[in-house]
Amino acid sequence: MLKMKLLSAFAAVALLAACGDSSDSANTGGAGGAGAGVARPGSQEDLAQNVGDRVFFDTARNTLRTDARATLDRQAAWLQQYPQNNVQLQGNADERGTREYNIALGQRRANAAREYLAARGVAASRMNTISFGKDRPTALGSDESSWSQNRNATTVLR
């Protein structure tokens, strides 16, 4: 009985040590895993962390703001660097308005981002668009803070 308890305790210590070793190697960015906060170049995480994967719009508008153009300029450069990547531009709206209105607005937002990227040299064949309207909110809530986050076009690798 004592041997069994001792053996169980030893096994638990060995298991904890093994878990500690694997997380240490993951945090150093070793082979087989992305390190703490380090995205694999050319990945969706790289796009989101280092370039920005979404642009934001004013209420009921699909006109690109200055900050949106800056993000899309970075996306265009990134897409030139990774020509193997194709993207889907996903248009979104806040919860206000009818479903039909928000689907149409989301599509106009996705199209605005696509047209801007195309004008910056990204081949149209590498991009497609879709609108989710108000069906996929980024932020939950019925306030201006949430609504402003949900008025966007998001660039997703496909």
Side-chain angles (χ1 to χ4, degrees):
M1 184 70 140
L2 185 58
K3 279 185 176 181
M4 185 59 95
K5 286 183 181 180
L6 189 56
L7 188 57
S8 295
F10 179 72
V13 169
L15 183 60
L16 287 174
C19 289
D21 288 347
S22 67
S23 65
D24 288 344
S25 65
N27 287 336
T28 62
V38 178
R40 181 178 48 83
S43 67
Q44 181 68 42
E45 295 77 21
D46 180 35
L47 176 65
Q49 290 176 14
N50 300 315
V51 176
D53 65 346
R54 68 193 65 216
V55 295
F56 298 95
F57 295 86
D58 293 327
T59 303
R61 308 288 288 187
N62 61 287
T63 306
L64 292 171
R65 303 181 331 195
T66 303
D67 60 327
R69 285 190 209 100
T71 299
L72 290 170
D73 285 339
R74 290 190 308 272
Q75 285 184 12
W78 187 87
L79 286 164
Q80 298 293 350
Q81 185 178 357
Y82 298 103
Q84 73 279 9
N85 287 343
N86 296 320
V87 295
Q88 181 176 70
L89 296 147
Q90 302 174 346
N92 299 285
D94 65 40
E95 66 183 18
R96 300 170 295 174
T98 66
R99 183 173 193 287
E100 293 77 19
Y101 173 81
N102 284 319
I103 289 289
L105 180 58
Q107 189 63 53
R108 289 192 305 272
R109 289 173 173 167
N111 289 342
R114 182 180 187 272
E115 290 167 12
Y116 190 89
L117 289 172
R120 296 298 178 272
V122 179
S125 62
R126 295 178 59 196
M127 301 180 284
N128 72 345
T129 61
I130 189 168
S131 174
F132 293 116
K134 60 183 176 179
D135 295 338
R136 290 192 180 182
T138 301
L140 299 177
S142 295
D143 55 42
E144 183 54 41
S145 175
S146 298
W147 295 331
S148 67
Q149 293 177 58
N150 294 331
R151 296 188 301 261
N152 68 68
T154 304
T155 303
V156 179
L157 297 186
R158 57 178 172 100

